[in-house]
Amino acid sequence: MIKQTLFILALCLQSSWAVAAIDWFKDENGKTKWQHLANFSSGTLIIILSITAIYLLVYSRRAHRANRELTLIKNELEQRVEERTAALKESNSKLIESNHLLESEVAQHVITANQLRSSESYIKDILTSMPLMLVGLDKEGRVTQWNRRVEELSGVPAQKALGKTLWEAYPTMTVVPEHIQQAIEQNKTIHLKQSLRSLSHFDITIYPLNGPEPGVVILVDDVSKETTAENLLIHNDKMSFMGELASSMAHDINIPLQAILMDLKRFKNIMADNHLALEQGGNDKTALLESIYNDMSDKGDQVSKIIHNLLTFARNRHSEKQMADIVDVMEHTVNLGKEVISVSDGFRFNQVKLEWQVEKGLPQVPCYITELQQVFLSLFRHACIALQKKSASESFEPIIKIILSESYDNMWIKIQHNGTGLTNEQQMSLFEPFFSTTQQADSFDTGEHLSFSYYIITEQHQGHMAVTSDVDVGSTFHMQIPITR
């Protein structure tokens, strides 16, 4: 700004106007008025200096304002630099922390990956080593799992089976595509059984997978040994039951049959006795022969009724239970027992005093009538044997008490006698099957076992059966049969 002012002043001094102005300071004689010129020059100089001072003042204020703005900008820049530095430090700290976290996550992922590989290897070892045949299939029936047991039984290695359909890999498999689709669509487990010429038996289980990809797993268990053992056990139980029933029937038949044979022997001896004259006791001999004949006829009728009861029991087995009045069933069994039950030494069921205790209004019970009658006959026979053991006492009166009642939707049947009771050992083995392979010592006679009766009550009638006994007081058989089907 000052340079521009001086430049303009120089131009003005060199101009014609400046030359003319100099003439203003001369008098009429042409002499210069130095005083006026000095005054003019000093005034002009003062004006110029004033202007310059004003310009300097203005410039100074602008410079001061500029310096202040620069200071503010500097402070702002420094603050921004500090903020950026702090942010950078924080970012570096976070970056370092993130790096540590990333390193920790990477290490954790490595550990997890190793664990997954170990778990996968463990699961694969389980699937490979398990004794069951395991086959995994997708929704189209292609093989996804084929364990070692399948390889051993089918002869097809896993490498050849994977990716193929089950029926391409193992054509003899009895599982059909409909089974696979049924398991997937209905989302339920399917159980199948397979028998090969009654020698090999397999349990096949097909269950659906609940993952994102639909599929099934087939488990095939070779149960040949278990099935054979189960069939053998069932066969032994049946043979035991039949042996027990046959022993009881043979015991019932043997007593009247032996009586018939004894009567025949007596009849033979009488007919062979020719030394007695007809006039000597002829009437007594005739009466004796009639007595022997009547006794033989009674015993023959008893054998016939026993055989008829056995045939009825064999024929009248219904496939479904029938509703029956338990009182009528018990009365019919009692009448039948009076005709067919007898034990050694001539002790018969019809000699026993019967006491009835029947609750009124008993409902009908779903049951197999003939088998339930056979249970009651076995119990009456068992009671007669116990009563006969105690009948030697003259003051003893054999009594069998029959109690019928209803409680909590169950029919309760109790048969109680006052004969010789059971010991603790006998109570423990009373309902166990009886096997006679050798001449073994047993606390029971064969006919005294009640495993067949226990089986009928518990298995075929879904009931319960128990015994309470005291050797000196007698025994009570408790039976509980559901009233509802």
Side-chain angles (χ1 to χ4, degrees):
M1 179 70 70
I2 298 174
K3 290 181 179 181
Q4 292 176 354
T5 305
L6 293 175
F7 178 73
I8 294 172
L9 182 60
L11 290 177
C12 290
L13 292 175
Q14 294 177 2
S15 64
S16 58
W17 177 80
V19 177
I22 293 174
D23 292 340
W24 291 349
F25 299 102
K26 291 181 178 182
D27 56 10
E28 293 86 1
N29 296 325
K31 291 181 179 181
T32 303
K33 302 176 180 180
W34 295 105
Q35 183 66 36
H36 293 287
L37 180 61
N39 292 334
F40 176 77
S41 298
S42 60
T44 303
L45 183 59
I46 291 172
I47 294 172
I48 292 172
L49 290 176
S50 299
I51 294 173
T52 302
I54 292 172
Y55 275 112
L56 288 175
L57 180 61
V58 173
Y59 182 77
S60 175
R61 291 178 65 85
R62 289 182 178 178
H64 181 71
R65 189 184 298 114
N67 288 333
R68 187 172 58 188
E69 291 179 355
L70 289 174
T71 302
L72 292 175
I73 292 173
K74 177 185 176 183
N75 294 336
E76 185 177 356
L77 289 175
E78 289 178 353
Q79 184 179 359
R80 289 185 179 180
V81 169
E82 291 178 358
E83 292 177 355
R84 295 285 179 87
T85 303
L88 184 60
K89 290 181 179 180
E90 185 178 359
S91 177
N92 290 335
S93 177
K94 290 183 177 180
L95 182 59
I96 294 172
E97 185 179 357
S98 299
N99 289 334
H100 289 311
L101 291 175
L102 182 60
E103 291 176 357
S104 177
E105 289 182 1
V106 170
Q108 187 66 33
H109 283 312
V110 171
I111 295 174
T112 304
N114 292 334
Q115 291 178 347
L116 287 175
R117 282 193 292 269
S118 177
S119 299
E120 183 179 358
S121 176
Y122 181 67
I123 293 173
K124 185 176 181 180
D125 290 341
I126 292 176
L127 297 179
T128 302
S129 304
M130 65 189 306
L132 303 181
M133 297 175 63
L134 185 144
V135 179
L137 304 177
D138 60 14
K139 63 180 180 179
E140 297 178 354
R142 292 190 179 89
V143 177
T144 58
Q145 287 287 341
W146 192 267
N147 73 343
R148 186 182 302 167
R149 184 60 175 168
V150 184
E151 292 182 352
E152 294 174 355
L153 295 181
S154 65
V156 180
Q159 292 80 2
K160 292 185 178 180
L162 295 176
K164 296 182 179 179
T165 64
L166 175 62
W167 304 275
E168 292 175 347
Y170 194 17
T172 59
M173 175 62 74
T174 57
V175 177
V176 296
E178 288 75 11
H179 293 147
I180 308 301
Q181 294 300 322
Q182 180 182 358
I184 294 175
E185 292 175 358
Q186 300 182 6
N187 193 28
K188 70 174 184 179
T189 302
I190 298 176
H191 298 280
L192 304 174
K193 291 186 179 294
Q194 179 184 9
S195 297
L196 301 178
R197 299 180 181 178
S198 299
L199 299 177
S200 299
H201 305 272
F202 298 95
D203 282 345
I204 302 175
T205 304
I206 306 172
Y207 62 89
L209 299 175
N210 296 322
E213 293 294 332
V216 298
V217 172
I218 302 175
L219 289 177
V220 183
D221 187 12
D222 187 355
V223 292
S224 301
K225 293 182 179 180
E226 292 83 353
T227 303
T228 302
E230 183 179 352
N231 292 337
L232 181 60
L233 181 62
I234 294 174
H235 176 72
N236 289 338
D237 286 343
K238 289 182 178 179
M239 294 304 295
S240 173
F241 295 151
M242 293 304 297
E244 182 179 320
L245 181 62
S247 175
S248 300
M249 290 301 174
H251 184 272
D252 290 339
I253 294 175
N254 181 62
I255 292 176
L257 184 60
Q258 291 297 325
I260 292 174
L261 294 176
M262 289 294 296
D263 289 339
L264 287 174
K265 188 175 181 180
R266 291 173 62 193
F267 183 78
K268 180 180 179 181
N269 292 334
I270 292 175
M271 295 299 295
D273 189 6
N274 297 322
H275 300 287
L276 295 175
L278 291 177
E279 61 276 5
Q280 297 178 356
N283 294 329
D284 294 337
K285 183 182 294 186
T286 302
L288 180 61
L289 291 176
E290 290 180 354
S291 175
I292 295 174
Y293 175 78
N294 293 331
D295 187 61
M296 290 174 60
S297 298
D298 293 340
K299 297 298 187 296
D301 291 338
Q302 186 177 358
V303 172
S304 177
K305 290 175 181 178
I306 293 172
I307 295 174
H308 176 74
N309 174 58
L310 181 61
L311 293 176
T312 302
F313 174 75
R315 288 195 302 261
N316 290 354
R317 176 64 162 89
H318 295 276
S319 58
E320 295 182 357
K321 295 179 181 179
Q322 295 177 308
M323 299 301 296
D325 187 341
I326 200 68
V327 179
D328 293 341
V329 175
M330 183 64 73
E331 290 178 348
H332 183 271
T333 307
V334 168
N335 294 331
L336 183 63
K338 291 179 179 180
E339 297 176 352
V340 301
I341 297 178
S342 62
V343 294
S344 59
D345 298 333
F347 188 88
R348 300 189 62 178
F349 179 66
N350 55 12
Q351 300 173 1
V352 179
K353 179 182 178 181
L354 297 180
E355 295 182 357
W356 292 77
Q357 184 176 334
V358 180
E359 184 178 313
K360 294 182 179 181
L362 291 178
Q364 291 189 332
V365 178
C367 63
Y368 301 107
I369 298 177
T370 56
E371 295 186 6
L372 207 56
Q373 289 176 346
Q374 191 63 38
V375 171
F376 298 154
L377 279 176
S378 299
L379 294 178
F380 289 148
R381 184 184 298 108
H382 192 281
C384 286
I385 295 175
L387 292 169
Q388 185 272 334
K389 293 178 181 179
K390 205 172 181 180
S391 61
S393 175
E394 295 181 357
S395 60
F396 174 71
E397 181 182 11
I399 299 174
I400 292 179
K401 182 181 292 186
I402 301 172
I403 303 173
L404 304 176
S405 62
E406 177 193 2
S407 178
Y408 297 105
D409 295 330
N410 287 280
M411 181 67 66
W412 285 87
I413 305 168
K414 296 181 182 180
I415 296 178
Q416 182 180 16
H417 68 77
N418 61 344
T420 302
L422 303 172
T423 63
N424 293 332
E425 292 76 11
Q426 290 175 331
Q427 293 180 48
M428 293 295 293
S429 62
L430 178 63
F431 300 131
E432 296 295 328
F434 177 78
F435 299 96
S436 180
T437 55
T438 60
Q439 294 295 330
Q440 56 184 3
D442 190 91
S443 58
F444 281 128
D445 181 42
T446 309
E448 293 184 71
H449 282 269
L450 297 174
S451 60
F452 187 46
S453 300
Y454 183 82
Y455 172 79
I456 292 175
I457 295 296
T458 59
E459 296 296 331
Q460 296 190 356
H461 290 82
Q462 291 76 48
H464 300 279
M465 185 174 183
V467 62
T468 55
S469 183
D470 184 274
V471 176
D472 299 325
V473 177
S475 302
T476 302
F477 295 95
H478 308 262
M479 288 164 283
Q480 175 188 356
I481 299 177
I483 294 176
T484 58
R485 288 182 179 270

